[in-house]
Amino acid sequence: MAKRILFLLNRAPYGSSYALEAIESILVAGVFDQEVSVLFTGAGLYQLLSEQDGGAIGGRTVGKMLGALPEYGVTELFACRPSAERLGLTDANLCLPVTWLDYAEQRRLIGRQDVVTG
Amino acid sequence: MAKRILFLLNRAPYGSSYALEAIESILVAGVFDQEVSVLFTGAGLYQLLSEQDGGAIGGRTVGKMLGALPEYGVTELFACRPSAERLGLTDANLCLPVTWLDYAEQRRLIGRQDVVTG
Amino acid sequence: MVISIAVHGAPYASAGSRTALRFAESALRLGHRIHRVFFYHDGVLAAAGQGVAPQDEEDLHAGWVRLGESHGVELAVCIANALKRGMLDEAERDRYEKDAATAHPAFTIVGLGQLIEAMTAADRFVTFAA
Amino acid sequence: MVISIAVHGAPYASAGSRTALRFAESALRLGHRIHRVFFYHDGVLAAAGQGVAPQDEEDLHAGWVRLGESHGVELAVCIANALKRGMLDEAERDRYEKDAATAHPAFTIVGLGQLIEAMTAADRFVTFAA
Amino acid sequence: MATLHLVNKPAAWEGCHPLLDAQDAVLLIEDGVYLAQQALSGATFYALEPDIRARGLSQRIHTNIRPASFDDFVGLVEGCQRVVTWSA
Amino acid sequence: MATLHLVNKPAAWEGCHPLLDAQDAVLLIEDGVYLAQQALSGATFYALEPDIRARGLSQRIHTNIRPASFDDFVGLVEGCQRVVTWSA
């Protein structure tokens, strides 16, 4: 029985390994045939910025890892529109296409889930 | 040659062990006969709240540890007045007497130091 | 109710590991079942078997070991997060030719599939953040 | 210039340990002297000798060991913070009758007095926060 | 109750607040209990009692926020459909 | 330069900003470099270049903030009287 699992990503990508490790768990959730979706919000939107280069600080590139999500069957990528406006980010700045949600839509997204985690 | 060392404490006391461990280092600095002062600012002011009871969550009481500072020769205790106003704290809420500083006074305090750390 | 728990923060640096332990103890006392506690990110450091807790503070590691040994709760440590932080059981110690196992044997080192299984097999999944 | 450095954050959970290492390498290259690197709070976890770094990420622990062994930089780990987090050298392993030393021998486990001495003996003291 | 929100530090409130549904509950834990010094709106609010006592906040909790024990915490988890954890 | 301030995350700016002296320098490092997307005032501002590049911010840095290498970082430490580290 597949569960609806939402990963809520609200951390910037390189200040800690949280983002990178969270993405590793999302890839596995995709492999395990769950109904996975991802919501980028707050500083988590910075994970989607294009032209990242983790090699500049000796690590992997978070944006590139996110690019693998569709191959793993994770195609429901949502992002918080009010957060993007606050941070001055638009589709043109991002390395992946996302579906923008306002707060009411995010509330409905959460209301459909069996599990929400980070 | 004694150095002027300022400890800048800006973290709440129980969400992590940072406050407790920082205080341990301040006590040692006092023993080593340095010119030590402490500045509580932001959420660090919560370290001074009276009626703390670390035992409620299985640990030591940060306010009580701070009470030992004078015995260790650390008597220069300063606190950020604008932070206190923002948090709704006054002398009556605190377990230790502190000298309140506005921003200009804090800038001068920093300007007198050889070392500032947290 | 069947509950799975994720612990993301290190003992000491985060209050989350202690909060999670207290929550798990209450849940068991109230008759619920803990399917698995999954330690992720710095949470894996709860397994550190060589730690010496300060005398005037609760020994959190010992609390987790007790939960595992006395109540049969599965304490699962993410292998990828554990290896890079130096948490090894005997099998990983041998595989990587290190001197010592550092994780207490009450904890089992597992793959990320067990995190997803922890979600699907439980009625509630509760994450304790760093 | 003589510099002392404090590292407060864990490898992985904090970027500070890597920033501190790069800063120290630059300072040495520019002809400055590093009096001591003092690992405090979760910073002590940089000493973890059993860690296995991911293949596609820099091995930060190895970088610190290299700084200590090739450049003679003192890598000092706070004993109180280390013990509770399971970082032990051979002496502490014996004292507390644990199975294994977990700190790499390039790191020395010291008292807090060495933190204060690191401040007084250097021209600059730079703290890398978690 | 639809969703139980866990808030473990004041900075996490910013992300949590806009996503509250009127049927939701919020449990303030750890440093999140500092938020309980003010009136909060948008859901039903609880604050973890041991965390309140440790921090010396017992006399400072706003009347619209209910103290909760760990047993209450378990009850809230049982009574909700999912748990969302907020951290900064 | 009197004091060099290190800012390693956006939330640390709130504590740092009111204590800046006009003769001070601020070096934004790690997640602190996200702050460099806007004009900042009160001191001379630098941002650590490898941290900018890692995060994909090279084209987004405000013109009043100068990129700094690790060698520049060492030079800033040498040129100041003390270093103050801000974290949230």
Side-chain angles (χ1 to χ4, degrees):
Chain A
M1 37 148 216
K3 289 226 175 182
R4 283 157 300 192
I5 304 173
L6 172 67
F7 288 87
L8 203 156
L9 302 186
N10 66 356
R11 295 186 196 247
Y14 299 99
S16 77
S17 58
Y18 274 86
L20 196 144
E21 290 165 358
I23 295 166
E24 288 173 341
S25 70
I26 301 172
L27 296 173
V28 174
V31 169
F32 275 67
D33 278 335
Q34 304 301 312
E35 292 183 28
V36 178
S37 48
V38 183
L39 172 59
F40 296 89
T41 180
L45 276 165
Y46 286 133
Q47 297 182 27
L48 293 162
L49 257 186
S50 52
E51 298 177 43
Q52 293 173 49
D53 174 18
I57 51 171
R60 281 183 279 176
T61 298
V62 166
K64 204 163 284 175
M65 289 180 66
L66 290 172
L69 286 172
E71 295 168 42
Y72 285 75
V74 180
T75 53
E76 301 285 286
L77 305 181
F78 302 102
C80 173
R81 192 196 309 275
S83 295
E85 287 166 0
R86 219 166 21 245
L87 299 178
L89 298 175
T90 68
D91 284 305
N93 306 119
L94 306 189
C95 61
L96 271 183
V98 295
T99 304
W100 295 104
L101 302 184
D102 62 25
Y103 289 135
E105 292 166 320
Q106 291 174 58
R107 280 195 290 270
R108 283 196 292 274
L109 174 67
I110 290 173
R112 286 197 298 272
Q113 305 303 317
D114 297 307
V115 171
V116 182
T117 189
Chain B
M1 40 149 214
K3 289 224 177 183
R4 283 157 300 194
I5 304 173
L6 173 65
F7 288 86
L8 203 155
L9 302 186
N10 65 355
R11 296 186 195 248
Y14 299 100
S16 76
S17 59
Y18 274 86
L20 197 144
E21 291 165 357
I23 296 166
E24 288 173 340
S25 69
I26 302 172
L27 296 173
V28 173
V31 169
F32 275 66
D33 278 335
Q34 303 301 311
E35 291 183 30
V36 178
S37 48
V38 183
L39 173 59
F40 296 90
T41 181
L45 277 165
Y46 286 133
Q47 297 183 27
L48 292 162
L49 258 186
S50 52
E51 298 177 42
Q52 293 173 47
D53 174 17
I57 51 172
R60 282 183 279 176
T61 299
V62 167
K64 206 163 284 177
M65 289 180 67
L66 289 173
L69 286 173
E71 295 167 40
Y72 284 75
V74 180
T75 53
E76 302 284 287
L77 304 181
F78 302 103
C80 173
R81 192 197 309 274
S83 295
E85 286 166 1
R86 217 163 25 242
L87 300 177
L89 298 175
T90 68
D91 284 305
N93 305 121
L94 305 189
C95 61
L96 271 183
V98 294
T99 303
W100 295 104
L101 302 183
D102 61 27
Y103 289 136
E105 292 166 320
Q106 291 173 57
R107 281 194 289 271
R108 283 196 293 274
L109 174 66
I110 289 173
R112 286 197 299 271
Q113 306 302 318
D114 296 308
V115 171
V116 181
T117 190
Chain C
M1 170 176 59
V2 180
I3 305 171
S4 286
I5 289 172
V7 177
H8 286 185
Y12 303 109
S14 157
S17 195
R18 172 176 284 121
T19 309
L21 175 61
R22 286 290 100 79
F23 173 83
E25 290 165 347
S26 271
L28 291 172
R29 198 175 338 104
L30 293 170
H32 301 292
R33 192 163 76 76
I34 311 273
H35 175 62
R36 180 175 299 138
V37 183
F38 195 90
F39 296 88
Y40 203 57
H41 302 301
D42 267 7
V44 302
L45 296 164
Q50 328 290 320
V52 181
Q55 288 197 325
D56 37 12
E57 286 179 65
E58 181 190 352
D59 187 339
L60 203 54
H61 168 74
W64 282 117
V65 169
R66 200 168 45 240
L67 196 82
E69 293 184 343
S70 309
H71 296 274
V73 172
E74 183 186 339
L75 308 175
V77 176
C78 166
I79 187 167
N81 289 195
L83 282 176
K84 60 195 202 183
R85 289 170 175 87
M87 283 293 108
L88 312 184
D89 60 9
E90 295 184 359
E92 301 303 323
R93 174 201 60 193
D94 295 344
R95 186 196 317 267
Y96 291 99
E97 300 179 1
K98 296 284 178 178
D99 296 338
T102 45
H104 188 283
F107 296 77
T108 52
I109 295 192
V110 304
L112 264 173
Q114 296 303 301
L115 170 61
I116 311 307
E117 200 274 342
M119 295 176 184
T120 58
D123 300 310
R124 298 288 182 283
F125 185 81
V126 187
T127 305
F128 290 85
Chain D
M1 171 174 59
V2 179
I3 305 171
S4 285
I5 290 173
V7 177
H8 286 185
Y12 303 110
S14 156
S17 195
R18 172 176 282 123
T19 309
L21 175 61
R22 286 288 102 77
F23 173 82
E25 290 166 346
S26 272
L28 290 172
R29 199 176 336 104
L30 294 170
H32 301 292
R33 191 162 77 74
I34 310 272
H35 174 63
R36 179 175 298 136
V37 182
F38 195 90
F39 296 89
Y40 204 56
H41 302 301
D42 268 6
V44 303
L45 296 164
Q50 328 291 321
V52 181
Q55 289 198 324
D56 37 12
E57 285 179 66
E58 180 191 352
D59 187 339
L60 203 54
H61 168 75
W64 282 117
V65 169
R66 198 166 49 239
L67 196 82
E69 293 183 343
S70 310
H71 296 275
V73 172
E74 184 186 336
L75 307 175
V77 177
C78 167
I79 186 166
N81 288 193
L83 281 176
K84 62 194 200 183
R85 290 171 174 86
M87 284 292 109
L88 312 184
D89 59 11
E90 295 185 358
E92 301 304 322
R93 173 200 62 194
D94 294 345
R95 186 196 319 266
Y96 291 98
E97 299 177 1
K98 294 285 179 178
D99 296 338
T102 45
H104 187 283
F107 296 77
T108 52
I109 295 191
V110 302
L112 265 173
Q114 296 302 302
L115 170 61
I116 312 306
E117 200 274 343
M119 295 175 184
T120 58
D123 299 311
R124 297 287 183 284
F125 185 82
V126 187
T127 305
F128 290 85
Chain E
M1 186 194 346
T3 300
L4 173 64
H5 301 261
L6 301 181
V7 174
N8 85 339
K9 42 179 72 74
W13 177 240
E14 193 193 338
C16 171
H17 183 229
L19 299 188
L20 293 178
D21 187 278
Q23 298 162 62
D24 291 351
V26 176
L27 176 60
L28 307 171
I29 64 172
E30 303 163 8
D31 282 350
V33 299
Y34 289 115
L35 289 161
Q37 297 174 91
Q38 58 199 289
L40 299 170
S41 64
T44 307
F45 290 90
Y46 301 85
L48 198 56
E49 212 271 332
D51 286 329
I52 292 170
R53 267 194 296 140
R55 290 163 179 76
L57 294 174
S58 299
Q59 305 304 315
R60 299 174 63 85
I61 301 301
H62 194 275
T63 50
N64 89 342
I65 293 157
R66 311 175 197 180
S69 66
F70 273 100
D71 284 2
D72 296 330
F73 187 172
V74 175
L76 288 167
V77 169
E78 194 174 14
C80 73
Q81 296 175 261
R82 69 197 68 79
V83 182
V84 179
T85 298
W86 297 94
S87 194
Chain F
M1 188 196 338
T3 300
L4 172 65
H5 300 262
L6 301 181
V7 175
N8 85 338
K9 42 180 71 74
W13 177 239
E14 194 193 337
C16 171
H17 183 229
L19 300 188
L20 292 178
D21 187 279
Q23 298 161 63
D24 290 351
V26 176
L27 175 61
L28 307 171
I29 65 173
E30 302 162 10
D31 282 349
V33 301
Y34 288 115
L35 289 161
Q37 296 175 92
Q38 57 199 292
L40 299 170
S41 64
T44 308
F45 290 89
Y46 301 84
L48 198 58
E49 212 272 333
D51 286 329
I52 292 171
R53 267 194 296 141
R55 290 162 180 77
L57 294 174
S58 299
Q59 305 304 314
R60 298 176 63 85
I61 300 302
H62 194 275
T63 49
N64 88 343
I65 293 157
R66 312 175 197 181
S69 65
F70 273 100
D71 284 4
D72 296 331
F73 186 172
V74 175
L76 288 167
V77 168
E78 193 175 14
C80 74
Q81 296 175 262
R82 69 197 68 77
V83 182
V84 178
T85 297
W86 296 94
S87 194

